[in-house]
Amino acid sequence: MSPVRLPGPAKGLRIGLFGGSFNPAHTGHLHVAETAMKRLQLDWIWWIVARGNPLKTEHGDFHARFASAEAVAGQHPRMIVTDIEKQLGYTYSWQTLLTLSVHAPQTDFVWLMGADNMASFHHWRRWQDIARMMPIAIVARPGVGPGARNSKFTRTFAKDRIPEAYAPILPELAAPAWVYLKGPLDPSSSTAIRKAEA
């Protein structure tokens, strides 16, 4: 297997992997990342800018999306924005996460997502493999109703959910394991931003 250049230090660390289109990145994304970093006691968060999104018709220019993620996250001393998915030529998250897991076996990775992704997570390619590959932290987002909280993911992996109070141990747990993190909400939305700029 050819070597993969990791975005930053990894061995023995607790790292959140935060993937997304970031079209554009906004304070809501930063809120998800900062909430996860604090509540899970993470060492780093790697923002993985998606090469594309098979579930979305509007991808936006990669370089513009990457720049927006850097503008939002780049000032945080323990957040790295990476184009590793584009470097690898991957389309699906499971490919990227598997590659990182194989190349950094002594790292405690956690997959991070906003609760607005919960409802559609079961449409992702090999979503159950993702859930069994590494722990998942889901951060509350505005407008997420019962449809998301009762999603196919939450029902399929109901027995693997840990209480919110135990969130700090999530990175050390074997997958499948996940937590739902509640807290203050940031209403920012990439869709709303694009509409405002149109």
Side-chain angles (χ1 to χ4, degrees):
M1 184 177 292
S2 59
V4 171
R5 190 176 66 191
L6 298 175
K11 186 176 181 180
L13 299 178
R14 299 154 64 99
I15 296 176
L17 302 176
F18 187 28
S21 299
F22 303 120
N23 186 27
H26 52 68
T27 56
H29 293 126
L30 184 61
H31 172 73
V32 168
E34 289 180 333
T35 299
M37 177 169 275
K38 180 179 179 181
R39 302 282 293 280
L40 304 177
Q41 299 176 11
L42 300 174
D43 296 304
W44 292 88
I45 292 182
W46 296 351
W47 291 46
I48 301 173
V49 182
R51 190 168 70 108
N53 186 332
L55 298 178
K56 292 183 178 180
T57 56
E58 186 176 348
H59 295 158
D61 176 72
F62 178 85
H63 299 290
R65 293 188 290 108
F66 188 89
S68 77
E70 282 200 313
V72 172
Q75 303 306 310
H76 195 290
R78 290 188 290 129
M79 292 188 189
I80 296 173
V81 180
T82 175
D83 64 351
I84 190 168
E85 188 165 284
K86 189 172 190 293
Q87 289 180 42
L88 295 169
Y90 292 160
T91 300
Y92 299 104
S93 296
W94 72 267
Q95 298 170 297
T96 305
L97 302 187
L98 178 60
T99 298
L100 289 173
S101 296
V102 168
H103 284 83
Q106 297 179 342
T107 302
D108 291 327
F109 286 121
V110 179
W111 180 243
L112 310 178
M113 68 168 68
D116 45 340
N117 280 316
M118 286 174 63
S120 62
F121 186 41
H122 63 282
H123 293 300
W124 293 25
R125 179 71 60 92
R126 296 181 65 168
W127 64 278
Q128 295 190 50
D129 289 337
I130 293 175
R132 295 187 175 103
M133 195 180 302
M134 64 181 61
I136 296 174
I138 298 165
V139 180
R141 288 280 291 144
V144 176
R149 291 194 295 271
N150 298 318
S151 67
K152 189 169 183 179
F153 164 73
T154 59
R155 287 184 280 111
T156 302
F157 294 96
K159 67 179 179 57
D160 303 302
R161 180 178 180 178
I162 68 170
E164 191 173 6
Y166 295 160
I169 71 169
L170 182 71
E172 303 160 17
L173 298 179
W178 64 281
V179 68
Y180 188 92
L181 302 175
K182 298 185 290 290
L185 303 177
D186 184 304
S188 302
S189 156
S190 294
T191 302
I193 293 171
R194 290 197 305 273
K195 285 181 178 177
E197 292 176 346

